[in-house]
Amino acid sequence: MPCSRPGATPAAPTLQANNMVIHTARRHFRESQARPGDSRGTPHIVTSSVEHDSIRLPLEQLVKESLAEATFVAVSPRSGRAEVDDILAAIRPTTCLVSIMLANNETGVIMPVTELSQRIHALNQWRVAEGLPRILVHTDAAQMIGKGRVDVQELGVDYLTIVGHKFYGPRIGALYVRGPGTTTPLLPMLFGGGQERSFRPGTENTPMIAGLGQAAELVSKNWEAYKAHMQDVRDYLEARLEASFGKQRIHLNSHFMGSKRLCNTSNFSILGPGLQGQRVLSRCKTLLASVGAACHSEKGDRPSAILLSCGIPYDVAQNALRLSVGRDTTRADVDLVVQDLVQAVAQLDQDQAP
């Protein structure tokens, strides 16, 4: 993850890093722009309708407490992306932060963050001249690192969230900040220690930080090989699913016209009554998988809100399964998985037969 100068603060994966960005943007706006009692001084944050809960829920809480305003831009059902023009259209004079994930964790769709940063950078030049607050840009890159090129200079973002276990590192994260405390504001959420220049105080977990650094180094050197392997196996998986069930019975929920997607992620539905994702998995003998993100596992049989936001019909989204391949996944592994799914669906079809 090339960057011209150090600016990464160790943090708990995703949740703490993302909360820290929101906290910073809101406080920085308040301290530098707001006028007490003036409704026009309420900080406004723009994000998408398909973000991780560590972005969505903090924003919903701030809105509930009247501490911020938020706009959740709908993704295009055609592309599965939060389109740049739609994001820019949501910007207000009080907008202080735009946070758009680099790649979605359920569909794998890659968002146009580089173009977004370029457009906001140009907009900021006008805003500064007009006396309006600069808009900070954040991307949660948790899903992308290890599966594609991630260069903070190319992306042009102010903040970037890093999560170690998503690229075979330890369960620790980091927040990249472009010139923390100088070029870009960074305000602590915790107090009581001077570690990490007081940005994120508390005794550092040195072994896990070292492990994160080593994992990042391996990714920087080998990401192209990792990506090529995972994409080959993922494409083989989707081809085998269509060959085994028939193209008319497989709906690839992560295929959107004109959009790029992660090399490892396949979200699909096996069409038919009684084939809800959880029911299919309950009949599998070897496959352990999910119907969506782990952080949404409490939602039971309800279809993924992410898929519904992307325009996937309710009955199709209800049958969704999300499979991810890894660096060590082989085509032989795929054959076993598809065979297991075939027998599971055959059982369910038989159970429903008159």
Side-chain angles (χ1 to χ4, degrees), residues 58-138:
L59 291 179
E60 289 180 353
Q61 185 63 30
L62 288 173
V63 170
K64 183 179 179 180
E65 297 178 11
S66 300
L67 295 174
E69 297 174 340
T71 300
F72 296 86
V73 176
V75 297
S76 164
R78 184 178 180 85
S79 67
R81 308 191 314 175
E83 299 294 0
V84 173
D85 286 343
D86 294 335
I87 296 167
L88 294 178
I91 288 175
R92 307 174 187 172
T94 54
T95 302
C96 61
L97 175 70
V98 171
S99 178
I100 302 293
M101 59 181 12
L102 191 49
N104 185 261
N105 51 318
E106 292 196 30
T107 64
V109 170
I110 298 171
M111 303 293 178
V113 172
T114 298
E115 181 189 352
L116 176 65
S117 294
Q118 292 169 347
R119 299 276 295 275
I120 290 180
H121 177 73
L123 178 61
N124 274 336
Q125 293 178 321
W126 174 83
R127 285 173 67 95
V128 169
E130 294 294 314
L132 296 173
R134 168 190 167 198
I135 299 171
L136 300 164
V137 181
H138 165 249

Side-chain angles (χ1 to χ4, degrees), residues 252-279:
L252 297 172
N253 302 320
S254 46
H255 281 207
F256 291 91
M257 186 178 299
S259 293
K260 295 180 180 179
R261 59 181 175 137
L262 294 174
C263 59
N264 73 320
T265 303
S266 180
N267 194 310
F268 61 92
S269 297
I270 305 171
L271 303 180
L275 297 180
Q276 292 87 351
Q278 295 283 17
R279 294 195 69 202

Side-chain angles (χ1 to χ4, degrees), residues 121-203:
H121 177 73
L123 178 61
N124 274 336
Q125 293 178 321
W126 174 83
R127 285 173 67 95
V128 169
E130 294 294 314
L132 296 173
R134 168 190 167 198
I135 299 171
L136 300 164
V137 181
H138 165 249
T139 190
D140 180 347
Q143 297 297 325
M144 186 71 169
I145 298 171
K147 308 173 191 81
R149 179 174 173 81
V150 179
D151 185 325
V152 292
Q153 304 307 327
E154 290 179 3
L155 290 170
V157 295
D158 300 298
Y159 308 98
L160 182 141
T161 297
I162 301 163
V163 179
H165 64 271
K166 298 296 185 181
F167 54 97
Y168 293 73
R171 287 183 176 271
I172 191 173
L175 175 65
Y176 167 82
V177 185
R178 186 180 299 277
T182 54
T183 305
T184 304
L186 184 63
L187 300 172
M189 297 179 67
L190 306 173
F191 299 88
Q195 296 90 345
E196 299 299 323
R197 291 174 281 174
S198 296
F199 291 131
R200 200 270 190 180
T203 303

Side-chain angles (χ1 to χ4, degrees), residues 243-308:
S244 299
F245 290 99
K247 286 188 176 183
Q248 74 283 354
R249 205 175 185 190
I250 293 292
H251 187 279
L252 297 172
N253 302 320
S254 46
H255 281 207
F256 291 91
M257 186 178 299
S259 293
K260 295 180 180 179
R261 59 181 175 137
L262 294 174
C263 59
N264 73 320
T265 303
S266 180
N267 194 310
F268 61 92
S269 297
I270 305 171
L271 303 180
L275 297 180
Q276 292 87 351
Q278 295 283 17
R279 294 195 69 202
V280 172
L281 289 175
S282 72
R283 297 302 180 96
C284 288
K285 297 177 180 178
T286 58
L287 172 63
L288 295 175
S290 70
V291 296
C295 52
H296 298 152
S297 58
E298 82 288 350
K299 297 190 186 303
D301 290 334
R302 283 180 288 171
S304 161
I306 299 295
L307 294 183
L308 295 176

